[in-house]
């Protein structure tokens, strides 16, 4: 049996005869023996047999180390190991993973690959079910194998293929027998195809997606294409289903019953990511009935914008690699569903499938729950940048058939998904004739979607101008048409296909990007890099990253740059992104009792949301109620009056919190799920005052001042009442974040490295004077790094009213400080028994100057351990922003007016030295940082650094804290 395909593709799929020996491994062709690509669809009533499960496995270190006798019937593989399919053998105890960002982990000599080429022979013996039909044919389907496979069934060589993240099918009906079928698959880690798969990810060989045997009844469905457009002016949808086999299409809800190839126009409810309405239908041929899920929508480039159903859309997206910390790219349906639900619950509306087509079931979920999808081809040749793109396959016509094959296998498989609105030719593959051929083929096959490719800087082959990690200033220049470029490019919409690099602590500055997106029509949003940290679960490290498996070349923890941790726990970055992209804007001045609500959805009105208010006094909610907001349409706003403040809170800090929540449960979240929120201040908090009634008293080896005792010689604080305090002094160091350290290709200064070069991690504290005045104890110091003339003249002035202790710190920079400071504040140590923390300020999670949009001011409580953010590579984390007061270890600290609070069971120096979380061991002291300022985060691990307004410049500063012992 064979499947028909479009005439234009047929030539590119002429793959010649059977391979000889192992020459196929280094052949630039996509393979031989596989059927032409076709649409993927949910199981019909035709029989199928999953061949997932336990397979016999033998690993060889070279491609030709073993003969092919294992494929013969009767071969004894009893002494072989076993592996799970889907799976990667290197994650099952056979060899080791390799992580590189863009360097090929083998010599670049296309299409040659090393003799040392790990090769896994897989063997599965299976019986057909007793009710397997005896008529018709059968197809053996592989949904994903890395990177090259050769297949035998019952001793017959049926073909070989490349294209790791793409489906391949073989006609095998004539080879099947009722029992004892022997399926043999030889998988090579390296092949010519590896040159096309240099994505930023782990190199993980194996059969990592499903293997399925499909019965193909006589007269059954082959390939089909659902064309379901929507006319926003008439409200009507047009449906036509083209099929290789004649049949009929029925859609009961629309009273449709028509022949394949015929068209019908009816009134419909359109599909959008906000309202993903699907109509159930059936394609029935003589031998098979295939279920359809039809979404009516139209994608077009109009007025220089990407429009769906006549409206411009704003992508609030993420890049998503497929990942599981134990099984790698072998994902089950529930893991995929968890990804989609997390995205929906965090206001994400779009996914770029970086950098290959995902498991097809993921696209089913995007159809069902509602996500815009940029479907990306399995193509990246990034390593050729090291030789200025010389010999790049994308510009070598010998490779063009392989490129066209990859484009066709993506488009044909995924063409019936309404969620897919953009085809992407691939990623970081330079430019060349091959990409042009791909774009031309895709347009000829499917003109209903747009085409993207970031590397096409002049937009010769694309419909969208895309960039990665452009700075805020450059994005604004592009928005205003001031960036130059070709006339065609200036007339196209702009998206950031990657921005906001979510590596470690961060990304910072995404709220500033979002303001640009919402200010200029041409800028249609972007996709955060990326969704998940690719840490591998490992008992030695917790989660392992590049280099932990002895790789010769690796890029360290650059593989851990996601909005969720490897176990899919949301990071603070995801909470920040949810807040930044929330689809309802709530603004106003709480003091005048009016709030302005704006609908920021592209299509939906606000009828699905309920609005609530709460009134807070000093961070505690004293009353709540419902707020009536009209069902505003997209882009509409309304002024809404809040009730009269319910409490007389004279002298206290008061504020409104307004929330938008789901009025009823949906498929992706329960009733009451919070979609958006805002806080509106009413009255500010009174700054704590300490009357200077007590003066310092010298007695023996200590100085007493109110409730505190100090060392006579050094003036160092020892106790506040019954609370022991150690090591209180100025602190400017933080364990550099991945974004502090930056990437070597970024133009901005990499402050993490410069801070260390300057010696801010080893500051020296010189004591200049301890002065006892009538009403204050003053300690004068100079804090400076060795080897440099710069320093910070630091004065600690202590006063007390008898029960409370006030510290005022004055800092005066000396010398030429060209760098911002990591932080500016004090650090002190408390007994390790200090476990619980209560605070009034930002929470519940961490926040920094450019990452605190999601920080909500209220009263919070947590353990010291709960304050930590478990970044896979340890780094600065856990600061709570805008803290008015905090209580820990029997001590209360109040700010003047607020401060950044951090507490951890290890020093900053220990945090800085740690490579993995398992390197951190709790000590006997809890170290507390009370910071006047923090340097912003930025996203310089691959993008721009912290914007100037978030940089902590070394300028004269004065700040105060009030300490008191907590009794009872």
């Amino acid at each position: 049996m064979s499947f028909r395909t479009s005439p234009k593709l047929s030539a590119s799929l002429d793959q010649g005869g059977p391979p000889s020996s192992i020459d196929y491994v280094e052949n630039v062709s996509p393979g031989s023996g596989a059927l032409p690509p076709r649409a993927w669809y949910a199981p019909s009533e035709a029989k199928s047999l999953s061949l997932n499960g336990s397979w016999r496995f033998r690993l060889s270190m070279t491609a030709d180390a073993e003969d092919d006798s294992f494929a013969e019937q009767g071969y004894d593989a009893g002494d072989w190991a076993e592996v799970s399919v889907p799976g990667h053998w290197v994650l099952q105890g056979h060899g080791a993973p390799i992580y590189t960002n863009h360097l090929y982990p083998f010599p670049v000599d296309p299409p040659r690959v090393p003799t040392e080429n790990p090769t896994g022979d897989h063997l599965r013996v299976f019986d057909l079910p007793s009710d397997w039909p005896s008529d018709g044919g059968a197809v053996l389907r592989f949904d994903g194998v890395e990177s090259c496979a050769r297949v035998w069934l019952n001793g017959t060589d049926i073909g070989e293929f490349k294209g790791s993240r793409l489906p391949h099918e073989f006609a095998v009906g004539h080879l099947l027998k009722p029992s004892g079928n022997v399926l043999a698959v030889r998988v090579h880690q390296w092949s010519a195809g590896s040159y096309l798969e240099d994505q930023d990810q782990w190199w993980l060989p194996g059969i990592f997606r499903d293997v399925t045997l499909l019965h193909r009844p006589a007269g059954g469905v082959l390939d089909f294409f659902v064309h379901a457009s929507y006319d926003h002016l008439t409200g009507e949808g047009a449906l036509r289903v083209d099929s290789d086999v004649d049949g009929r299409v029925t859609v009961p809800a629309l009273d449709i019953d028509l022949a394949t190839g015929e068209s019908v126009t009816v009134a419909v409810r359109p599909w959008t990511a906000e309202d993903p309405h699907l109509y159930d239908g059936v394609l029935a041929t003589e031998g098979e009935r295939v279920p359809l899920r039809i979404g009516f929508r139209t994608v077009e480039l109009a007025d220089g914008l990407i429009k769906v159903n006549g409206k411009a859309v704003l992508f609030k997206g993420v890049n998503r690699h497929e990942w599981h910390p134990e099984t790698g790219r072998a994902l089950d349906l529930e893991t995929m569903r968890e990804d989609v639900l997390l995205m929906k619950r965090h206001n994400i509306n779009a996914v770029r499938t970086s950098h290959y087509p995902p498991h097809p079931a993921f696209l089913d979920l995007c159809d069902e729950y509602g996500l815009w999808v940029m479907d990306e081809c399995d193509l990246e040749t990034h390593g050729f940048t090291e030789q200025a793109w010389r010999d790049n396959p994308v510009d070598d016509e010998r490779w063009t058939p392989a490129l066209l094959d990859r484009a066709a296998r993506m488009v044909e498989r995924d063409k019936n998904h309404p969620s897919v609105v953009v085809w992407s030719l691939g990623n970081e593959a330079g430019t060349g004739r091959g990409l042009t051929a791909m774009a031309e083929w895709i347009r000829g096959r499917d003109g209903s979607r747009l085409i993207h490719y970031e590397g096409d800087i002049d937009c010769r082959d694309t419909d969208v101008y895309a960039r990665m990690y452009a700075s805020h200033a450059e994005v604004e220049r592009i928005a205003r048409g001031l960036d130059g470029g070709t006339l065609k490019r200036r007339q196209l919409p702009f998206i950031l296909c990657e921005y906001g690099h979510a590596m470690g602590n961060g990304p910072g500055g995404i709220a500033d990007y979002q303001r640009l997106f919402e200010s200029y029509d041409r800028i249609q949003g972007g996709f955060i890099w990326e969704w998940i940290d690719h840490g591998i679960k490992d008992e030695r490290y917790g989660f392992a990253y590049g280099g932990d498996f002895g790789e010769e070349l690796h890029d360290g923890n650059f593989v851990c740059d996601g909005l969720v941790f490897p176990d899919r726990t949301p990071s603070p970055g995801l909470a920040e992104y949810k807040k930044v992209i929330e689809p309802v804007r709530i603004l106003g001045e709480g003091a005048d009792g009016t709030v302005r609500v704006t609908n920021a959805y592209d299509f939906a009105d606000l009828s699905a949301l309920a609005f609530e208010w709460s009134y807070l006094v000093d961070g505690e909610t004293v009353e709540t109620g419902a707020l009536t907001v009209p069902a505003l349409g997209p882009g509409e706003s309304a002024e809404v009056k809040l009730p009269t403040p319910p409490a007389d809170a004279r002298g206290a800090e008061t504020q409104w919190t307004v929330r938008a929540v789901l009025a009823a449960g949906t498929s992706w979240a329960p009733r009451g799920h919070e979609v958006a929120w805002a806080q509106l201040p009413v009255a500010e908090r009174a700054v704590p005052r300490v009357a200077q009634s007590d003066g310092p008293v010298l007695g023996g080896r200590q100085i007493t001042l109110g409730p505190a005792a100090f060392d006579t010689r050094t003036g160092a604080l020892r106790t506040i009442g019954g609370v022991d305090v150690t090591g209180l002094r100025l602190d400017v160091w933080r364990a550099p974040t991945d974004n502090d350290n930056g990437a070597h290709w970024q133009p901005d200064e990499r402050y993490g490295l410069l801070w260390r070069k300057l010696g801010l991690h080893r500051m020296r504290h010189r004591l200049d004077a301890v002065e006892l005045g009538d009403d204050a104890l003053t300690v004068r110091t100079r804090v400076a790094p060795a080897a440099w003339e710069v320093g910070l003249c630091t004065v600690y002035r202590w006063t007390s009213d008898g029960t409370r202790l006030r510290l005022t710190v004055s800092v005066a920079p000396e010398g030429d400080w060209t760098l911002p400071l990591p932080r500016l504040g004090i650090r002190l140590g408390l007994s390790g028994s200090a476990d619980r923390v209560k605070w009034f300020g930002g929470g519940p999670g961490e926040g920094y100057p450019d990452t605190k949009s999601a920080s909500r001011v209220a009263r919070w409580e947590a353990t010291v351990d709960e304050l930590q953010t478990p970044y896979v590579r340890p780094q600065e984390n856990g600061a709570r922003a805008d803290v008015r007061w905090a209580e820990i270890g029997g001590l209360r600290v109040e700010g003047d007016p607020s401060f950044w609070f951090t507490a951890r069971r290890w020093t900053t120096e220990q945090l800085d030295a740690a490579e993995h979380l398992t390197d951190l061991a709790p000590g006997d002291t809890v170290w507390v940082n009370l910071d006047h300022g923090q340097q912003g985060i930025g996203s310089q691990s691959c993008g721009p650094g912290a914007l100037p307004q978030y940089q902590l410049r070394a300028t004269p500063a004065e700040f105060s804290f009030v300490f008191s012992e907590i009794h009872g």
Side-chain angles (χ1 to χ4, degrees), residues 487-529:
L487 175 62
K488 179 184 177 183
R489 192 181 84 179
R490 294 198 304 272
Q491 294 173 337
L492 293 179
F494 176 81
I495 62 169
L496 281 169
C497 63
E498 294 179 22
Y499 82 109
H501 199 250
M503 185 177 178
N505 187 332
I510 57 174
D512 304 271
Y513 274 117
Q514 193 66 24
R515 280 190 283 272
L516 292 172
F517 300 165
E518 295 179 6
S519 298
Y520 297 95
D521 291 342
R522 186 191 182 194
I523 312 299
Q524 292 195 251
F527 299 81
I528 293 288
W529 185 269

Side-chain angles (χ1 to χ4, degrees), residues 649-826:
R650 200 170 306 162
E653 180 176 356
T654 55
Q655 61 192 169
W656 298 98
T657 298
V658 178
R659 304 169 64 235
V661 302
L662 291 179
T666 69
S667 62
W668 49 269
R671 178 179 180 271
H673 167 79
E674 184 176 271
V675 173
W677 61 273
Q679 288 192 305
L680 312 173
V682 178
E684 294 183 358
R685 161 178 168 265
V687 175
R689 302 296 178 191
V690 176
Q692 299 174 358
S693 59
D694 284 9
V697 177
L698 178 63
R701 295 184 176 181
Q702 71 177 21
I703 301 168
T704 59
L705 177 62
F710 299 81
D711 183 270
T712 301
R713 184 177 61 85
T714 65
L717 177 66
R718 296 297 183 223
T719 61
I720 298 176
V723 179
D724 293 333
V725 180
T726 185
L728 188 151
R729 63 184 187 179
L730 188 79
D731 192 11
V732 297
W733 180 243
R734 73 184 187 194
T737 67
D738 293 313
N739 287 305
D740 287 337
N741 287 331
H744 65 85
W745 59 83
Q746 295 303 321
D748 294 347
E749 291 184 291
R750 301 166 65 194
Y751 290 130
L753 305 186
L754 295 173
W755 291 336
R756 200 179 299 277
K757 180 180 178 181
L758 184 60
L760 298 190
H761 60 304
R762 49 176 173 77
M763 298 289 274
R764 306 294 177 84
H765 296 252
R766 186 184 73 202
L767 177 64
D768 289 339
V770 178
E771 301 171 353
L772 278 68
D774 292 339
D775 59 356
L777 169 64
T778 301
V779 180
R780 302 185 184 278
T781 68
R782 187 176 190 268
V783 182
W788 304 97
E789 64 177 354
V790 297
L792 301 169
C793 284
T794 306
V795 178
Y796 307 91
R797 187 174 189 274
W798 298 93
T799 58
S800 176
D801 63 1
T803 59
R804 296 184 298 169
L805 183 69
R806 183 182 189 90
L807 168 63
T808 299
V809 182
S810 301
V811 180
E814 292 183 336
D816 185 14
W817 282 89
T818 60
L819 303 178
L821 298 172
R823 67 175 354 124
L824 181 64
I826 61 169

Side-chain angles (χ1 to χ4, degrees), residues 400-561:
T400 299
L403 303 183
L404 288 171
D405 180 68
R406 288 170 183 248
R409 291 190 181 278
M410 171 183 70
V411 171
E412 301 293 7
R413 190 196 74 168
D414 298 341
K415 60 182 175 281
N416 295 326
H417 289 282
S419 58
V420 176
V421 293
V422 179
W423 299 118
S424 180
L425 302 180
N427 183 68
E428 293 176 320
T431 57
R433 293 164 287 177
L435 287 166
T436 299
M438 293 169 70
E440 289 177 350
W441 185 88
I442 291 174
R443 285 197 175 92
R445 180 58 173 149
D446 175 28
S448 69
R449 296 174 172 93
L450 305 183
I451 293 179
H452 162 274
Y453 177 67
E454 183 268 345
D456 184 8
I457 195 69
D458 292 326
C459 302
R460 182 181 63 179
D461 299 320
T462 61
D463 302 308
V464 179
Y465 177 31
R467 290 285 304 282
M468 298 177 181
Y469 308 108
S471 70
H472 300 78
E474 184 177 3
V475 169
E476 185 160 19
R477 287 197 300 271
I478 292 169
R480 299 173 62 190
L482 301 177
D483 61 311
T486 63
L487 175 62
K488 179 184 177 183
R489 192 181 84 179
R490 294 198 304 272
Q491 294 173 337
L492 293 179
F494 176 81
I495 62 169
L496 281 169
C497 63
E498 294 179 22
Y499 82 109
H501 199 250
M503 185 177 178
N505 187 332
I510 57 174
D512 304 271
Y513 274 117
Q514 193 66 24
R515 280 190 283 272
L516 292 172
F517 300 165
E518 295 179 6
S519 298
Y520 297 95
D521 291 342
R522 186 191 182 194
I523 312 299
Q524 292 195 251
F527 299 81
I528 293 288
W529 185 269
E530 64 159 301
W531 175 241
I532 189 168
D533 286 343
H534 301 196
I536 294 176
K537 190 174 181 180
D538 187 285
E539 62 182 13
R540 299 166 298 170
Y541 306 121
F543 292 112
Y545 50 77
D548 288 337
F549 298 97
E551 301 101 305
E552 181 181 38
L553 294 173
H554 67 85
D555 286 287
N557 68 310
F558 200 72
V559 76
C560 295
D561 45 14

